C-alpha cells in the first residue's frame, strides 16, 4: 500500500481563499501531496484588505498540533501567519520537541494589501523560537528589514540554515530572489516581473510549494528553484482572471501536465 507524501500547513485562514491555509491546501494538493492543517488565526479579509483577525487560543493551537503529529508525522511543514509571540513560542517549541523535518517558515507580518497581520513583538519571538527549527525562512524585502532591524543578514544565518530573500516587491522589470545556505553559499534566481494586480497570497503559495518539494525528496536548492518556477506559472496564469476589486489570487489549479525541468507536476 502506498503512503501519501504529507505536508502540514500551520497558518491563518483567508475568507477570500487566495492566501493562508486555503492557498496552502491548493498548492500542496496541486503538487501531488496530502495537505493537513493547523489554524492559528481566523481572518475576515478579501482582495481589498484585512478587516479583522482573531488568534485561536493557545490550548486549541497546541491540541491541533498534537492531533496531527500523534497520528501522522508530516513529511514537510509550512509555517505561515502566527499572530502573536505566544503562538510563535508554542509552535516553535512543539516542532522542536517532535524533531519536525523540512520546515519552511514564511514570516508573515504584512498582507499584500499592506495590513499588519502580527503584533509588534513577533520578530524577536520568531528568531528565538521558530527560526532555529526551520530548514529555510522566506521573508520578503519588507519583512527582512523588520527582522534584521537594518543590520546585515549574518545574524539570521547564525540561527537558521537557509534564508530565501524574496525580491517580488523590488523595482524594475527583472526580479531576483536570493537563497543563502549557511554563511558561505548563495544562489540567485532571476525572473521577469509579471505585471498584474493578482498577487494575493504569493508568499503563502511559494512557501507551501517549497515545503511540498522538500517533502517529495528534493534538496533545499532544487526545492526553492522548483517552487519559484511553479509560482511564476501560477502568477502568469492568474493574471488572466478577475476576482474582487483589489489584489486577486494566483491560479493554483493550472494543468498538472505542465513540466518544470522535466518534472511532471
Amino acid at each position: 500500500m502506498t503512503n501519501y507524501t504529507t505536508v502540514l500547513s500551520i497558518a491563518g485562514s483567508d475568507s477570500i481563499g487566495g492566501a493562508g491555509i486555503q492557498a496552502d491546501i491548493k498548492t500542496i494538493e496541486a503538487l501531488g501531496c496530502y495537505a493537513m492543517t493547523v489554524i492559528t488565526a481566523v481572518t475576515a479579509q478579501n482582495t481589498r484588505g484585512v478587516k479583522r483577525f482573531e488568534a485561536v487560543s493557545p490550548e486549541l493551537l497546541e491540541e491541533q498540533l498534537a492531533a496531527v503529529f500523534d497520528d501522522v508525522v508530516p513529511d514537510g511543514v509550512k509555517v505561515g501567519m502566527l499572530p502573536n509571540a505566544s503562538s510563535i513560542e508554542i509552535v516553535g517549541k512543539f516542532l522542536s520537541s517532535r524533531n519536525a523535518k523540512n520546515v519552511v517558515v514564511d514570516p508573515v507580518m504584512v498582507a499584500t494589501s499592506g495590513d499588519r497581520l502580527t503584533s509588534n513583538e513577533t520578530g524577536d519571538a520568531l528568531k528565538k523560537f521558530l527560526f532555529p527549527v526551520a530548514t529555510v525562512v522566506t521573508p520578503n524585502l519588507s519583512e527582512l528589514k523588520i527582522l534584521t532591524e537594518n543590520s546585515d543578514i549574518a545574524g539570521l544565518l547564525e540561527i537558521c540554515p537557509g534564508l530565501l530573500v524574496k525580491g517580488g516587491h523590488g523595482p524594475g522589470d527583472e526580479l531576483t530572489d536570493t537563497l543563502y545556505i549557511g554563511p558561505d553559499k548563495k544562489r540567485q534566481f532571476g525572473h521577469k516581473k509579471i505585471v498584474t494586480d493578482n498577487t494575493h497570497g504569493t508568499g503563502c503559495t511559494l512557501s507551501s510549494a517549497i515545503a511540498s518539494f522538500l517533502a517529495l525528496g528534493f534538496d533545499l536548492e532544487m526545492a526553492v528553484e522548483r517552487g519559484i518556477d511553479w509560482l511564476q506559472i501560477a502568477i502568469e496564469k492568474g493574471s488572466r482572471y478577475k476576482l474582487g476589486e483589489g489584489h486577486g489570487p494566483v491560479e493554483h489549479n493550472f494543468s498538472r501536465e505542465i513540466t518544470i525541468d522535466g518534472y511532471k507536476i
Side-chain angles (χ1 to χ4, degrees), residues 7-12 17-30 35-37 78-81 106 201 203-209 212 252:
V7 179
L8 171 64
S9 169
I10 305 171
I21 286 283
Q22 288 84 347
D24 293 343
I25 293 172
K26 294 172 185 178
T27 302
I28 293 163
E29 296 283 346
M36 306 182 293
T37 64
K78 175 265 172 77
V79 184
M81 177 190 177
D106 182 20
C204 305
T205 299
L206 177 59
S207 54
S208 54
S212 298
H252 298 91

Side-chain angles (χ1 to χ4, degrees), residues 16-55:
I16 208 67
I21 286 283
Q22 288 84 347
D24 293 343
I25 293 172
K26 294 172 185 178
T27 302
I28 293 163
E29 296 283 346
L31 290 169
C33 300
Y34 183 87
M36 306 182 293
T37 64
V38 167
I39 297 175
T40 62
V42 177
T43 73
Q45 66 175 297
N46 55 29
T47 64
R48 293 180 290 185
V50 180
K51 310 301 181 183
R52 181 179 176 182
F53 70 86
E54 290 188 9

Side-chain angles (χ1 to χ4, degrees), residues 4 10 12 22 27 30 49 52 54 56 58 71 75 89 95 98 106 112 128 136 141 144 154 173 202 236 240 253 255:
Y4 287 108
I10 305 171
Q22 288 84 347
T27 302
R52 181 179 176 182
E54 290 188 9
V56 304
D71 190 27
D75 297 306
E89 182 175 356
L95 294 179
R98 297 299 183 101
D106 182 20
T112 300
K128 181 177 180 180
V136 64
L141 295 172
L144 181 68
D173 296 329
T202 49
E236 192 278 325
R240 307 173 188 180
N253 299 314
S255 173

Side-chain angles (χ1 to χ4, degrees), residues 93-141:
K93 287 183 174 179
F94 186 92
L95 294 179
S96 177
S97 70
R98 297 299 183 101
N99 295 313
K101 58 184 178 181
N102 297 324
V103 178
V104 180
V105 176
D106 182 20
V108 180
M109 296 178 174
V110 182
T112 300
S113 60
D115 295 303
R116 185 87 186 207
L117 291 170
T118 60
S119 56
N120 291 329
E121 75 275 13
T122 55
D124 289 341
L126 283 166
K127 288 183 277 189
K128 181 177 180 180
F129 296 109
L130 202 51
F131 288 6
V133 303
T135 303
V136 64
V137 179
T138 64
N140 61 33
L141 295 172

Side-chain angles (χ1 to χ4, degrees), residues 43-230:
T43 73
Q45 66 175 297
N46 55 29
T47 64
R48 293 180 290 185
V50 180
K51 310 301 181 183
R52 181 179 176 182
F53 70 86
E54 290 188 9
V56 304
S57 69
E59 295 79 13
L60 181 55
L61 176 58
E62 192 153 18
E63 287 177 10
Q64 288 181 83
L65 289 163
V68 173
F69 275 81
D70 287 348
D71 190 27
V72 179
V73 178
D75 297 306
V77 179
K78 175 265 172 77
V79 184
M81 177 190 177
L82 293 171
N84 50 48
S86 173
S87 62
I88 292 169
E89 182 175 356
I90 289 168
V91 171
K93 287 183 174 179
F94 186 92
L95 294 179
S96 177
S97 70
R98 297 299 183 101
N99 295 313
K101 58 184 178 181
N102 297 324
V103 178
V104 180
V105 176
D106 182 20
V108 180
M109 296 178 174
V110 182
T112 300
S113 60
D115 295 303
R116 185 87 186 207
L117 291 170
T118 60
S119 56
N120 291 329
E121 75 275 13
T122 55
D124 289 341
L126 283 166
K127 288 183 277 189
K128 181 177 180 180
F129 296 109
L130 202 51
F131 288 6
V133 303
T135 303
V136 64
V137 179
T138 64
N140 61 33
L141 295 172
S142 298
E143 291 159 346
L144 181 68
K145 186 175 180 180
I146 295 171
L147 291 168
T148 57
E149 298 175 331
N150 296 316
S151 63
D152 59 36
I153 65 170
L156 291 183
L157 291 172
E158 290 177 358
I159 56 176
C160 59
L163 181 69
L164 176 65
V165 179
K166 299 174 294 187
H169 293 92
D173 296 329
E174 295 289 331
L175 303 176
T176 301
D177 301 322
T178 304
L179 174 64
Y180 299 86
I181 303 176
D184 301 319
K185 186 173 182 180
K186 180 174 79 171
R187 181 176 172 191
Q188 293 185 315
F189 304 88
H191 46 88
K192 184 173 292 186
K193 185 174 185 177
I194 300 170
V195 180
T196 176
D197 289 330
N198 294 342
T199 56
H200 182 55
T202 49
C204 305
T205 299
L206 177 59
S207 54
S208 54
I210 294 170
S212 298
F213 282 119
L214 287 170
L216 288 165
F218 294 96
D219 64 25
L220 177 57
E221 189 172 347
M222 187 58 69
V224 168
E225 179 178 354
R226 291 183 183 276
I228 291 171
D229 288 344
W230 191 87

